[in-house]
């Protein structure tokens, strides 16, 4: 079989499978289950790079494959999947469905541009240095695994934040941040702990306020 199937890509594949399952839940109208799948995908992505770097004898092909497969899965997990949720929330609702369509298109477009640019820059960087990346350029697409569930929770808690409009406007803002040339500091070990705690809080919020 073609491809690589060692432990360095297992978490990436699990995250992808979680998002595909999440999209099936969107079609069933089970948004809480879908967002839980999004959180699982985000958790897998947070640790898959650390697992891959732990293998010191990776070949050049394995490293390049890791970069490519990670971005391809990210496009589905944190581009197409969240966009599917956004469109589903507005479909068949007149003018609101136009907002959902535009937001979904721009969201996926922003994600694919950012990921494609990252692939080019990261491959060049790894050919020049073995140092770990300290900053992201543009908002990382994986951040939506925390941001959009938070939007969902806030919409459920505050009546003045209707979910379809709030979610789609958030996607529009995020799509711009994906391609904005800003530096976002990469979290270190302490940052990973903070992100993990934040993820657990968001997970609890989705379980409590979800339907």
């Amino acid at each position: 079989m073609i491809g690589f199937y060692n432990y360095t890509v297992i978490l990436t594949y699990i995250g992808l499978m979680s998002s595909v399952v999440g999209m099936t839940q969107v079609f069933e109208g089970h948004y809480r289950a879908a967002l839980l799948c999004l959180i699982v995908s985000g958790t897998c992505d947070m640790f898959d790079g650390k697992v891959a770097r732990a293998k010191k004898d990776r070949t050049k092909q394995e490293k390049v494959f890791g970069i490519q497969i990670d971005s391809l899965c990210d496009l589905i997990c944190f581009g197409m999947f969240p966009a599917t949720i956004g469109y589903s929330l507005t479909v068949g609702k007149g003018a609101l469905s136009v907002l959902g369509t535009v937001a979904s298109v721009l969201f996926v477009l922003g994600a694919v541009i950012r990921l494609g640019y990252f692939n080019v820059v990261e491959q060049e960087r790894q050919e020049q240095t073995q140092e770990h990346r300290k900053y992201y350029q543009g908002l990382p697409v994986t951040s939506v695994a925390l941001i959009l569930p938070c939007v969902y929770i806030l919409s459920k808690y505050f009546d003045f934040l209707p979910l379809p409009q709030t979610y789609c406007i958030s996607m529009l803002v995020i799509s711009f941040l994906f391609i904005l040339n800003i530096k976002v500091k990469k979290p270190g070990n302490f940052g990973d702990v903070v992100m993990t705690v934040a993820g657990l809080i968001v997970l609890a919020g989705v379980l409590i306020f979800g339907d």
Side-chain angles (χ1 to χ4, degrees), residues 93-193:
K93 296 182 178 179
L96 191 56
S97 65
V98 176
L99 174 63
T101 300
V102 172
S104 298
V105 169
L106 293 180
F107 186 86
V108 175
L109 181 61
V112 76
I113 291 172
R114 193 219 177 281
L115 289 167
Y117 182 79
F118 171 82
N119 277 13
V120 173
V121 173
E122 182 63 13
Q123 188 166 333
E124 287 181 350
R125 189 189 70 83
Q126 290 201 7
E127 290 173 356
Q128 297 169 2
T129 179
Q130 295 298 314
E131 290 184 4
H132 292 167
R133 177 181 287 273
K134 296 180 180 179
Y135 291 92
Y136 296 111
Q137 281 183 277
L139 182 71
V141 294
T142 53
S143 63
V144 303
L146 276 181
I147 295 173
L148 293 178
C150 284
V151 170
Y152 179 82
I153 294 168
L154 291 173
S155 295
K156 291 294 183 179
Y157 190 77
F158 296 107
D159 292 335
F160 63 88
L161 293 174
L163 180 58
Q165 292 91 330
T166 305
Y167 189 97
C168 289
I169 291 172
S170 298
M171 284 204 303
L172 288 171
V173 174
I174 292 170
S175 67
F176 175 72
L177 294 177
F178 280 159
I179 59 175
L180 188 64
N181 191 18
I182 55 174
K183 284 188 176 182
V184 179
K185 186 173 176 57
K186 210 176 173 185
N189 292 331
F190 177 74
D192 288 340
V193 172

Side-chain angles (χ1 to χ4, degrees), residues 186-205:
K186 210 176 173 185
N189 292 331
F190 177 74
D192 288 340
V193 172
V194 172
M195 294 288 285
T196 301
V197 172
L200 290 173
I201 294 172
V202 172
L203 175 63

